[in-house]
Amino acid sequence: MPRSELRFAEPLSDPEDLKRVIEQLCEDLLRDLETRGVGARRLDLVFLRVDNLAQAVRIGLSRPYREPKHLAKLLAERLVLVDPGFGIETASLTGSWVEAITERQTVGRHMGAHGADVDVSQLVDTLGVRLGQDKIFRLTPVESALPERAVRRIPALHPAQGVAWPKNLPRPARLFERPEKVEAAAELPIIRRGSSYGATGRIALRVPTGPNASMANGG
């Protein structure tokens, strides 16, 4: 299992010092990963304090990665979870999950031709660290006669499988082609009908009634 470790003559506790330690650990570990021809999918950073208590940080990655600056940045964002106590005397970084990596060239959307691959993995990783991996996803279609079951969530960079979105489907599909003003006869939740004037003419709007109407209308 790929691993790098640093020991210090004097205990460290300053966040800026710990960031530099993380950068050095990433550079050392990523050289090992490059030699093995693999990339990290999960990293475990462990700080051992002078009182022999460990402070651990874990990050997951959307795809195999071995770019030290990107990984160091992700780990540094998790330093808020680390309590250095009276100081840290040992730091280690372990690639607890690695996968074979294939080199590929990608370009930014502003430079590439229409339909060219755009690498958004760094953005996905950054959002995953800040918000949680389960909060970063995309929707994929599913064969179903029920509209509410016609889509499901999958990881943001998970390859498409099975049913695909129609190529001529306008995106995003859940919004009007352009914003349309909605006019109501009274304030909610009393309103029963309203109207919208758009390019296609007047559109009747119905509002739920009954004991649950106030909840349905945001009351």
Side-chain angles (χ1 to χ4, degrees), residues 82-118:
V82 174
D83 177 11
F86 293 105
I88 292 170
E89 58 182 4
T90 303
S92 64
L93 182 62
T94 304
S96 54
W97 177 11
V98 298
E99 289 182 357
I101 187 171
T102 302
E103 300 292 348
R104 62 187 182 125
Q105 182 176 356
T106 57
V107 296
R109 188 179 298 275
H110 64 292
M111 297 177 60
H114 179 69
D117 288 340
V118 178

Side-chain angles (χ1 to χ4, degrees), residues 28-39 66 101 103:
D28 294 344
L29 180 68
L30 272 295
R31 279 195 292 269
D32 187 8
L33 295 178
E34 187 173 6
T35 301
R36 297 169 183 249
V38 298
R66 59 173 184 238
I101 187 171
E103 300 292 348

Side-chain angles (χ1 to χ4, degrees), residues 203-219:
I203 303 172
L205 303 177
R206 293 181 178 274
V207 177
T209 60
N212 296 323
S214 61
M215 293 181 63
N217 295 325

Side-chain angles (χ1 to χ4, degrees), residues 170 172 174-180 199-200:
R174 296 186 177 186
L175 302 179
F176 288 115
E177 183 176 358
R178 64 178 183 177
E180 298 185 5
T200 57

Side-chain angles (χ1 to χ4, degrees), residues 31-149:
R31 279 195 292 269
D32 187 8
L33 295 178
E34 187 173 6
T35 301
R36 297 169 183 249
V38 298
R41 286 295 307 274
R42 185 175 63 214
L43 293 174
D44 292 319
L45 174 66
V46 179
F47 292 114
L48 186 63
R49 304 191 325 191
V50 294
D51 56 3
N52 208 34
L53 290 179
Q55 299 286 296
V57 169
R58 168 175 285 183
I59 62 168
L61 301 163
S62 57
R63 67 176 180 85
Y65 223 92
R66 59 173 184 238
E67 204 286 313
K69 291 184 178 179
H70 174 55
L71 299 180
K73 180 181 177 182
L74 296 178
L75 289 166
E77 290 198 20
R78 308 293 284 178
L79 281 178
V80 294
L81 304 177
V82 174
D83 177 11
F86 293 105
I88 292 170
E89 58 182 4
T90 303
S92 64
L93 182 62
T94 304
S96 54
W97 177 11
V98 298
E99 289 182 357
I101 187 171
T102 302
E103 300 292 348
R104 62 187 182 125
Q105 182 176 356
T106 57
V107 296
R109 188 179 298 275
H110 64 292
M111 297 177 60
H114 179 69
D117 288 340
V118 178
D119 188 0
V120 296
S121 59
Q122 291 192 13
L123 173 62
V124 171
D125 293 338
T126 300
L127 294 176
V129 169
R130 295 179 180 178
L131 306 177
Q133 293 291 340
D134 59 325
K135 300 293 193 303
I136 313 302
F137 61 88
R138 65 186 181 91
L139 299 178
T140 187
V142 177
E143 290 186 356
S144 175
L146 303 176
E148 63 271 21
R149 298 182 181 178

